[in-house]
Amino acid sequence: MSSCNVSEEGCENLLSVVSSQSCSLRELDLSTNSLKASAVKHLSVAVESPHAKLNILRLNICELSEENCKALSSVLSSQSSSLTELDLSIRNLQASGVKLLSAGLQSLNCKLNTLRLSGCNLSERSCEALCSVLSSQSSSLRELDLSNSDLQDSGVKLLSTGLKSSQSAVETLSLSGCLIREEGCTSLASALSSNPSHLRELDLSYNHPGDSGMKLLSAGLKDPGWRLDTLRVEPAGVRWLTPGLRKYSCQLTIDTNTVNTKLQLSDNNRKVKLVKEVQSYPDHPDRFDVHPQLLCRDGLTGRCYWEVECRGWVNISVSYRSIRRKGRSNDCGFGWNDQSWHLFCTRGNQVWHNSRQFSSSCVSNRVAVYVDCPAGTLSFYRVSSDTLIHLHTFNTTFTQTLYPGIGFDFNHHGSSVSLC
């Protein structure tokens, strides 16, 4: 029942069924619903019922206050609960909420073996709480997904302390896209050397392990003392950005049907420039007739990364193809509606969505975009000397295929974008 606008009354009716003795429901997906605190309380009571048989509960992209986390912690520690998998991905969980959940995970009654917190923007304090879970003798956790959070090396060090514990029984750990570098990989390798008996699968894709990090982890795969048999350090594709060597995970081709007469294409459609002269592009219904902007031809799938070099007043965007094309309204402009997201390269690398500004930094002419379509994450970066500097990450559910876009300011002729 994901994205079904389930009301509080509807939730109560549904959950009365879950707690019914005659109900055999094993999996419930209420993702992307605006469940209020009272609804989550009803849910908690239903799952705690001695008649409930629910094993899997998905609440990703649902509002989770501290009160909600307290109710869910009660479920985890309930003797009657049969919950084995909980998905709370893509939420901005406060450290206090993670601490409450961690208390439930350490309960002797807790049967949860899979916890997904992907894209939850976890802090160092959150990692401390999860460290206590990993090292808890009573924890039944076997799979932990913390991907697409900016844990960085400091957060991974805390998690590694928990993994070192002889009590840690986690077999699958996902840390994809967590801005981990060589120092963090060293901590993980040390933890696995100290307690090599359990972890079998480690996902470090879309990080920056460096040569030394790669060597340490690769050597561990050959170590007969390690149980690790699956290590992911590359993205789900053959092209990626690595220090000193630029490789790309998607190829961008301009859709000439969206180019209006203010834009000039060159270099095999790899460079776009705003010009005064009228261009000889025939009329087309897909064209943005007023806003000087365009879309790429192919939609994005899986995980994609690209970089562009900007000159002048330019925005780099990601948009649904259903965005309006005709007129001057905000419904047509990248970043000014719920159909698109953009990074304004010139004005301090401002990130915008639905007419709201989310981040800004110093100006950089080279910027990057990373999209994980299945996970619902979209990140913008500025690039400085082969280093990615994170600007902002959006966590959502993409309801349509995404397309890269490029936009310009009306009054700044000569502005240009080159696809790297």
Side-chain angles (χ1 to χ4, degrees):
M1 300 189 70
S2 175
S3 306
C4 287
N5 291 322
V6 179
S7 66
E8 187 170 353
E9 182 183 0
C11 195
E12 285 184 33
N13 293 332
L14 174 66
L15 297 176
S16 66
V17 174
V18 172
S19 57
S20 168
Q21 188 172 1
S22 58
C23 179
S24 58
L25 192 68
R26 295 289 189 275
E27 181 174 348
L28 177 60
D29 186 351
L30 288 172
S31 302
T32 326
N33 285 293
S34 300
L35 300 182
K36 297 179 180 179
S38 55
V40 177
K41 281 185 178 180
H42 288 307
L43 174 63
S44 303
V45 171
V47 177
E48 285 184 57
S49 166
H51 300 306
K53 303 174 183 67
L54 203 64
N55 301 136
I56 300 173
L57 177 61
R58 305 187 193 283
L59 295 174
N60 55 320
I61 325 186
C62 289
E63 292 296 333
L64 288 177
S65 63
E66 188 172 321
E67 190 177 358
N68 296 152
C69 291
K70 188 176 181 180
L72 288 171
S73 180
S74 173
V75 171
L76 296 177
S77 57
S78 170
Q79 188 174 2
S80 58
S81 171
S82 56
L83 210 60
T84 58
E85 181 176 335
L86 180 61
D87 187 351
L88 302 177
S89 298
I90 317 182
R91 269 295 60 156
N92 189 14
L93 283 179
Q94 299 296 321
S96 55
V98 177
K99 189 174 181 179
L100 287 167
L101 289 170
S102 298
L105 287 165
Q106 294 177 69
S107 167
L108 289 170
N109 294 321
C110 183
K111 305 174 185 68
L112 202 75
N113 54 48
T114 300
L115 177 62
R116 305 191 189 284
L117 299 176
S118 174
C120 285
N121 294 323
L122 302 176
S123 64
E124 279 193 32
R125 285 181 59 202
S126 300
C127 291
E128 285 180 11
L130 291 170
C131 172
S132 65
V133 174
L134 295 176
S135 57
S136 170
Q137 185 176 4
S138 56
S139 173
S140 58
L141 204 60
R142 296 294 181 271
E143 181 175 349
L144 181 59
D145 183 358
L146 304 177
S147 56
N148 299 308
S149 289
D150 294 349
L151 301 182
Q152 304 189 54
D153 293 339
S154 55
V156 172
K157 280 184 180 180
L158 291 167
L159 292 172
S160 297
T161 302
L163 290 171
K164 281 183 180 181
S165 169
S166 59
Q167 308 296 338
S168 176
V170 171
E171 298 174 355
T172 301
L173 178 62
S174 180
L175 299 174
S176 175
C178 288
L179 299 180
I180 302 168
R181 298 184 179 276
E182 294 183 16
E183 189 178 354
C185 291
T186 302
S187 299
L188 286 168
S190 174
L192 289 171
S193 297
S194 301
N195 178 24
S197 59
H198 288 293
L199 197 68
R200 303 195 61 159
E201 185 174 336
L202 178 60
D203 187 355
L204 287 172
S205 59
Y206 288 89
N207 286 293
H208 307 275
D211 291 338
S212 63
M214 288 282 289
K215 284 179 182 178
L216 281 170
L217 293 168
S218 298
L221 281 173
K222 300 173 184 177
D223 188 334
W226 285 31
R227 204 177 167 199
L228 193 70
D229 54 29
T230 303
L231 172 64
R232 298 189 183 92
V233 289
E234 293 292 337
V238 295
R239 297 180 293 272
W240 179 238
L241 172 72
T242 56
L245 180 64
R246 296 193 177 279
K247 299 179 180 181
Y248 302 94
S249 62
C250 66
Q251 297 294 321
L252 306 184
T253 304
I254 303 302
D255 183 353
T256 54
N257 291 331
T258 66
V259 180
N260 64 25
T261 56
K262 303 178 184 69
L263 304 180
Q264 180 185 74
L265 300 182
S266 59
D267 299 339
N268 294 323
N269 290 358
R270 305 292 295 176
K271 183 176 180 180
V272 190
K273 186 176 181 180
L274 180 66
V275 294
K276 289 183 179 180
E277 299 83 7
V278 174
Q279 304 297 301
S280 57
Y281 301 123
D283 191 25
H284 195 281
D286 287 344
R287 183 151 310 138
F288 294 93
D289 63 347
V290 176
H291 287 269
Q293 57 191 30
L294 53 81
L295 289 175
C296 287
R297 184 182 65 195
D298 300 319
L300 303 174
T301 58
R303 288 167 161 171
C304 298
Y305 173 91
W306 66 96
E307 289 185 17
V308 296
E309 189 80 32
C310 305
R311 291 287 181 269
W313 287 55
V314 177
N315 70 68
I316 304 304
S317 308
V318 174
S319 173
Y320 296 143
R321 202 163 188 83
S322 60
I323 187 172
R324 287 184 61 183
R325 314 297 178 93
K326 308 303 178 186
R328 294 179 179 272
S329 72
N330 286 351
D331 290 341
C332 304
F334 291 150
W336 295 97
N337 47 67
D338 61 3
Q339 301 281 297
S340 60
W341 300 255
H342 89 217
L343 167 60
F344 200 160
C345 302
T346 309
R347 288 184 175 174
N349 293 148
Q350 295 176 1
V351 177
W352 288 77
H353 171 60
N354 207 14
S355 301
R356 286 183 59 201
Q357 181 180 338
F358 289 85
S359 176
S360 63
S361 176
C362 58
V363 174
S364 174
N365 289 331
R366 198 178 189 103
V367 296
V369 186
Y370 167 58
V371 184
D372 186 336
C373 298
T377 62
L378 167 61
S379 298
F380 292 98
Y381 302 85
R382 65 184 179 90
V383 184
S384 177
S385 303
D386 281 331
T387 299
L388 292 180
I389 301 170
H390 180 246
L391 297 174
H392 188 76
T393 293
F394 293 97
N395 295 301
T396 184
T397 296
F398 298 122
T399 57
Q400 302 176 40
T401 302
L402 296 172
Y403 291 81
I406 299 168
F408 297 85
D409 184 89
F410 288 105
N411 302 313
H412 289 77
H413 298 104
S415 297
S416 66
V417 176
S418 296
L419 305 176
C420 300

